[in-house]
Amino acid sequence: MGVIRKKTARPGTEGGVKCVCDVCSVDITSTVHIRCAHEACNDYDLCVPCFTDGASSHNHDPPTHPYLVIEQHSVPIFTEDWGADEEMLLLEGAGLYGLGSWADIADHIGGFRTKDEVRDHYIKTYIESSKFPLPERASPHDTSLQEVISREEFQSRKKRRIEERKEAAKSVQPATPKTKPTASVPSCHEIQGYMPGRREFEVEYANDAEDAVQHMQFDPGDGINPRTGELEPDMELKLTVMDIYNSRLTARVERKKIMFEHHLLEYKKNTGLEKKRTKEERDLINKCKPYARMMNHADYEEWTQGLLQEHSLRQAIAQLQEWRQMGLAELKSGEKYESEKQQRVQRAQTSNNPLDRLQTSRGNKATPPVEAASTTAMLTSPELVYRPMRGGVNGGGSIGGLFASQQVKEENGGGGGGGGEHVNGTSTPSQQQTMQMPPLPNIQPLLFRDELPADWHLLTRDEQQLCSTIRVQPKPYLVIKEQVLKEAMKTGGAMKKKAVKEICRLDPNKASRVFEFFVNSGWISKG
């Protein structure tokens, strides 16, 4: 017989054990059919047409094999609503799946029986019976139910029940499928490579430790030499390798224990706590982490909190000592001092590079290191030729005439006593030598006819002429001068032309003229 044990996802459907003809494969579950009784044919069923035609298959021999006529036992024997066929399937399902697997047993019975219905029927009919383990009507001569309910009426009731439950099953919304449980894979945890279901890591400590023992075998009787009674060298080597392997496993377990004990797998929580701490506190905690191996979590937390508190107290004491040195006697004054100190620090950070406002589209480049000036470079004649002049510069409409008239105007205006002038806070004699600078090619000098620009009075005559030649306002020039002199002080007064060009961020010809002017003025030397 072809037996199909129909296991569906929803117990309580029509289901049940289906019988088919072993020749034509027709469903003969609900009809009269023939079963071979010969020992060579196991569960071999035939429908009535195949049996009358003498059809056969496999080892079945119709002329010689005995047979049985199987008909439906759809009659009540123990209760009014359960037939004999269902009672047989109930006992068969209990033997197959075990008592308690009511969903599987109900699916084995079929006929839209539910697991609760099957369980209650078994308990009431068999367990609570006074003739336990037999039911109340276990006697073969008890036909009282068959006399009250005929076979036709019982089958009509069963058919009506199946139709009603089938219609009810159609109107019921499909149950939500169960979500797949979280797999124990590394991607399911916030720590990459950790498998929470197995409490293991994808790559363990001493991950190759098993390679040394994976092919090792220990057979009974091996290891002891029967003649000498001593341990054989081969077995001694194996035991040594096993000791090494066990020591690595112990170290692996100890490291896992530390991680679980101190909650190191809670990455997001630990990261949030780290962000709340200052840099000094984080450095202190990192230095304390090696000691977590010899402490439990409570002692370690108490110890680190004590160290953080001590660190805070030391900072507070240092701050109070600083206030005391500054002559501050009140907390309000100290708070005001700290706020002003923070403002000064911020201003210093923003004003580290005063030339940022002059920055153009040219990319920022680091100032190259300045080499020390050689004796030959210091003795080389300057590129800008000195042309000493007395009493001003002639030339009417020329640049020299402009500065000469400016000199006469400042002398007549009483710019300083004793026939001199004060520039940049120093007294310069009126008969000081001046430099004549030729104009740059393709660059028109900057003329100031109506009014002088701001900070013009802070420049010497040579610096004024330089600003006019390279077309730079006095204020940016003063900033350039300050930066160049600061860098020159760091390198002993020697600088390369390339370094000056990087600081100026001007046209190469203009920057070269500034470098030549500073060298000729004696403020820097060629590097």
Side-chain angles (χ1 to χ4, degrees):
M1 178 185 71
V3 180
I4 304 174
R5 288 176 182 169
K6 192 175 180 181
K7 300 295 291 298
T8 61
R10 292 181 298 164
T13 56
E14 189 172 1
V17 178
K18 303 296 182 181
C19 297
V20 296
C21 178
D22 287 301
V23 175
C24 62
S25 301
V26 174
D27 187 5
I28 54 177
T29 305
S30 303
T31 61
V32 178
H33 55 276
I34 309 300
R35 176 170 296 178
C36 181
H38 195 273
E39 59 182 6
C41 298
N42 185 22
D43 291 339
Y44 189 87
D45 292 344
L46 293 173
C47 63
V48 175
C50 291
F51 176 75
T52 56
D53 293 340
S56 64
S57 62
H58 304 296
N59 297 328
H60 180 64
D61 186 14
T64 60
H65 286 189
Y67 60 90
L68 299 174
V69 178
I70 305 300
E71 60 178 344
Q72 285 297 105
H73 302 291
S74 184
V75 291
I77 54 175
F78 299 147
T79 59
E80 296 181 356
D81 55 345
W82 278 71
D85 54 347
E86 293 178 320
E87 298 288 353
M88 292 173 61
L89 291 174
L90 170 61
L91 299 178
E92 183 182 357
L96 287 174
Y97 306 110
L99 290 176
S101 302
W102 303 114
D104 295 333
I105 296 174
D107 191 27
H108 182 76
I109 296 172
F112 285 92
R113 294 289 187 183
T114 63
K115 62 178 183 179
D116 296 333
E117 186 178 4
V118 174
R119 183 190 65 240
D120 296 341
H121 173 75
Y122 183 84
I123 293 175
K124 183 178 180 181
T125 305
Y126 297 92
I127 303 298
E128 297 179 354
S129 173
S130 60
K131 299 178 182 180
F132 176 82
L134 300 176
E136 293 289 344
R137 297 184 174 89
S139 175
H141 305 287
D142 189 356
T143 59
S144 58
L145 287 178
Q146 298 178 15
E147 295 175 356
V148 175
I149 304 175
S150 62
R151 178 190 295 267
E152 292 75 10
E153 183 179 356
F154 180 80
Q155 291 181 352
S156 62
R157 290 181 182 181
K158 180 179 179 180
K159 184 177 180 180
R160 192 182 311 116
R161 173 175 57 81
I162 292 175
E163 293 295 333
E164 291 176 355
R165 295 190 179 184
K166 186 182 294 185
E167 293 296 330
K170 291 182 180 179
S171 60
V172 175
Q173 296 181 354
T176 305
K178 295 183 179 180
T179 58
K180 186 178 181 181
T182 302
S184 180
V185 295
S187 60
C188 295
H189 197 266
E190 56 191 30
I191 299 295
Q192 186 177 7
Y194 177 65
M195 296 175 283
R198 300 169 57 181
R199 295 174 69 87
E200 294 179 355
F201 292 89
E202 188 176 12
V203 180
E204 295 281 356
Y205 171 76
N207 197 51
D208 299 333
E210 287 77 8
D211 294 345
V213 298
Q214 61 180 346
H215 299 299
M216 191 177 295
Q217 294 181 354
F218 292 90
D219 297 328
D222 290 349
I224 303 296
N225 193 327
R227 290 181 296 178
T228 61
E230 296 179 355
L231 191 65
E232 295 181 354
D234 187 20
M235 180 59 64
E236 187 177 356
L237 177 61
K238 287 183 179 180
L239 294 178
T240 303
V241 173
M242 288 300 301
D243 291 339
I244 297 174
Y245 173 65
N246 290 330
S247 64
R248 292 180 177 178
L249 290 184
T250 303
R252 183 185 298 176
V253 172
E254 289 177 352
R255 280 163 171 76
K256 284 186 181 180
K257 182 180 178 182
I258 293 172
M259 298 189 70
F260 298 146
E261 172 71 20
H262 296 280
H263 309 294
L264 299 181
L265 296 176
E266 299 177 0
Y267 177 75
K268 294 181 180 179
K269 180 180 178 181
N270 295 335
T271 305
L273 293 177
E274 288 289 331
K275 291 181 179 179
K276 295 180 181 178
R277 298 190 179 106
T278 61
K279 184 179 182 299
E280 293 80 7
E281 292 176 347
R282 288 196 296 269
D283 295 340
L284 180 60
I285 293 296
N286 291 333
K287 293 179 180 178
C288 297
K289 285 181 179 180
Y291 297 97
R293 296 184 177 183
M294 56 190 74
M295 299 182 183
N296 57 35
H297 184 64
D299 294 343
Y300 177 75
E301 287 293 326
E302 183 180 359
W303 180 56
T304 53
Q305 291 299 326
L307 292 178
L308 292 176
Q309 186 177 4
E310 179 186 358
H311 176 71
S312 301
L313 291 175
R314 289 181 181 275
Q315 285 185 333
I317 292 173
Q319 188 180 53
L320 291 175
Q321 290 176 348
E322 182 181 1
W323 291 358
R324 185 175 181 180
Q325 292 176 358
M326 295 297 175
L328 304 177
E330 297 180 356
L331 291 178
K332 292 184 178 179
S333 302
E335 294 174 357
K336 183 178 179 182
Y337 167 75
E338 290 296 332
S339 63
E340 294 178 352
K341 179 180 177 181
Q342 187 67 23
Q343 293 176 1
R344 289 194 298 271
V345 171
Q346 294 178 356
R347 285 198 299 268
Q349 292 177 353
T350 56
S351 62
N352 282 339
N353 191 4
L355 291 176
D356 285 344
R357 63 179 183 272
L358 300 177
Q359 184 177 5
T360 60
S361 59
R362 182 180 180 182
N364 295 331
K365 295 183 180 179
T367 303
V370 180
E371 300 178 0
S374 62
T375 307
T376 305
M378 297 179 64
L379 296 178
T380 303
S381 60
E383 298 177 6
L384 190 63
V385 181
Y386 274 93
R387 295 187 180 181
M389 302 180 67
R390 297 180 178 274
V393 183
N394 297 327
S398 64
I399 301 175
L402 170 65
F403 287 101
S405 61
Q406 177 67 19
Q407 179 182 359
V408 173
K409 184 184 297 184
E410 291 180 356
E411 290 178 353
N412 295 336
E421 60 178 352
H422 295 274
V423 180
N424 291 340
T426 59
S427 177
T428 58
S430 59
Q431 299 297 328
Q432 183 182 4
Q433 292 183 355
T434 60
M435 289 180 289
Q436 183 178 4
M437 285 174 282
L440 295 174
N442 300 326
I443 296 179
Q444 185 68 23
L446 186 64
L447 302 179
F448 306 100
R449 301 184 182 276
D450 298 330
E451 58 180 6
L452 298 177
D455 299 335
W456 182 264
H457 62 284
L458 299 178
L459 307 179
T460 63
R461 290 187 178 87
D462 295 335
E463 290 176 326
Q464 293 172 357
Q465 186 178 0
L466 175 65
C467 292
S468 176
T469 303
I470 64 177
R471 297 184 65 87
V472 175
Q473 295 291 336
K475 187 180 291 295
Y477 166 79
L478 291 175
V479 175
I480 293 173
K481 178 181 177 182
E482 180 183 1
Q483 293 297 315
V484 171
L485 294 181
K486 283 183 179 180
E487 292 295 328
M489 291 176 64
K490 297 179 182 178
T491 58
M495 292 190 69
K496 285 187 175 182
K497 183 184 293 186
K498 184 178 180 181
V500 175
K501 290 181 179 180
E502 293 292 338
I503 295 175
C504 294
R505 295 194 179 102
L506 296 174
D507 183 81
N509 295 329
K510 297 181 181 180
S512 299
R513 184 60 58 87
V514 172
F515 175 74
E516 295 167 3
F517 177 80
F518 286 172
V519 171
N520 292 331
S521 299
W523 296 337
I524 62 174
S525 60
K526 288 185 177 181

